Amino acid sequence: MFEKEKLEVIKTGMKLDRYGLIALAGGNVSLRMPTGEILVTPSGMIYEEMVADDVVVMDIDGNIIEGERKPSSDTVGILYILKHRPDLNAVIHTHQPYATAISLIQDEFRADLTTLGNACRGNIKCTPYSSPGSVEMGMDTVEYLGDQLAVILSHHGVNTVGDSLKQALNAAVYLEECARAYLAARACGEIRHLNDEQIQQTVDIYKFVGQGKGEIPEELLKRIPSDPQK
């Protein structure tokens, strides 16, 4: 059942390792099927060693439909997110170090780098501390997520979400890239901020990125000066 999608889940987990967002068996990947079933990576297994049968299939209430492995220890939190955000289909949890470090010094990661607005849809909240493996981890994600695609779990890691694994993975990778740049700058001096309008522009432009169908959004065309000297 869902072998193609299970392999996609595993490949996504391998990319987390490739981009330095996890180590060994850290983190987890979950995907909601169009028919409602949830695919969850198993607990304590290295992604490179997984096969399709290792990915657990369950319903939204946590009843296992297929699979012999123990699902991720964060499953209760994952299911809470998917149950309370029906618009989302993918949840990725990582222990990415640079983004997590931000939660040790502040309550929000402002999108002063355009890539953060692009990939995560704006400023990212840092949640209060909640224990790994707890439903509170999912509850905090839902409470602090808003319209963005990520939250930073204080003292712990990151949850990213999306309508697909690709969207959630992009959010995780680019969040870490921006966190590295931000912390490097912060170590050198005062941060220069984008204003709210500029941040919103970085969110809007990303709607046109990629090879989907569609014309250039009218709100972007309006920003082209009629006077070339301006």
Side-chain angles (χ1 to χ4, degrees):
M1 182 184 291
F2 306 122
E3 183 165 348
K4 178 182 176 181
E5 291 83 359
K6 288 177 179 178
L7 292 176
E8 183 182 1
V9 166
I10 294 171
K11 288 179 182 178
T12 299
M14 292 170 67
K15 289 177 181 178
L16 299 181
D17 189 16
R18 179 188 307 170
Y19 289 107
L21 308 184
I22 56 132
L24 298 176
N28 50 70
V29 180
S30 304
L31 178 65
R32 190 202 315 259
M33 295 292 92
T35 47
E37 295 89 348
I38 312 296
L39 309 185
V40 182
T41 48
S43 177
M45 290 189 69
I46 295 174
Y47 297 99
E48 287 84 352
E49 298 175 355
M50 290 183 196
V51 296
D53 287 344
D54 292 322
V55 178
V56 180
V57 182
M58 60 179 59
D59 65 22
I60 195 66
D61 295 314
N63 299 303
I64 294 178
I65 298 171
E66 181 180 86
E68 301 296 326
R69 297 292 188 183
K70 177 183 176 182
S72 169
S73 60
D74 294 321
T75 295
V76 292
I78 294 164
L79 293 177
Y80 184 93
I81 296 168
L82 293 173
K83 182 176 288 189
H84 289 81
R85 288 293 301 265
D87 57 314
L88 302 174
N89 295 320
V91 179
I92 293 176
H93 173 57
T94 73
H95 298 151
Q96 52 200 83
Y98 290 96
T100 305
I102 289 176
S103 75
L104 303 180
I105 57 176
Q106 59 199 56
D107 295 327
E108 182 181 58
F109 184 17
R110 189 170 175 82
D112 291 315
L113 292 151
T114 61
T115 304
L116 191 61
N118 292 164
C120 295
R121 296 181 180 168
N123 304 331
I124 304 304
K125 299 289 187 182
C126 299
T127 74
Y129 173 73
S130 58
S131 173
S134 66
V135 69
E136 285 79 13
M137 189 173 114
M139 295 170 67
D140 287 342
T141 298
V142 171
E143 180 177 352
Y144 286 84
L145 187 63
D147 294 327
Q148 283 65 55
L149 298 177
V151 295
I152 302 174
L153 304 167
S154 291
H155 306 272
H156 182 181
V158 165
N159 277 345
T160 64
V161 299
D163 56 19
S164 65
L165 286 175
K166 180 180 179 180
Q167 187 176 54
L169 178 63
N170 282 351
V173 171
Y174 289 122
L175 171 57
E176 188 71 350
E177 177 182 275
C178 291
R180 290 178 65 182
Y182 170 80
L183 291 172
R186 197 174 189 273
C188 297
E190 185 177 350
I191 298 295
R192 293 190 292 183
H193 297 289
L194 295 179
N195 61 42
D196 292 342
E197 181 181 0
Q198 290 169 327
I199 291 174
Q200 188 58 46
Q201 288 175 357
T202 71
V203 176
D204 292 341
I205 189 63
Y206 203 68
K207 298 173 184 177
F208 188 65
V209 172
Q211 294 300 311
K213 295 181 180 179
E215 299 178 352
I216 298 175
E218 184 177 352
E219 63 266 26
L220 298 181
L221 291 174
K222 288 179 179 178
R223 292 176 183 155
I224 301 175
S226 56
D227 183 348
Q229 300 303 316
K230 292 183 179 180

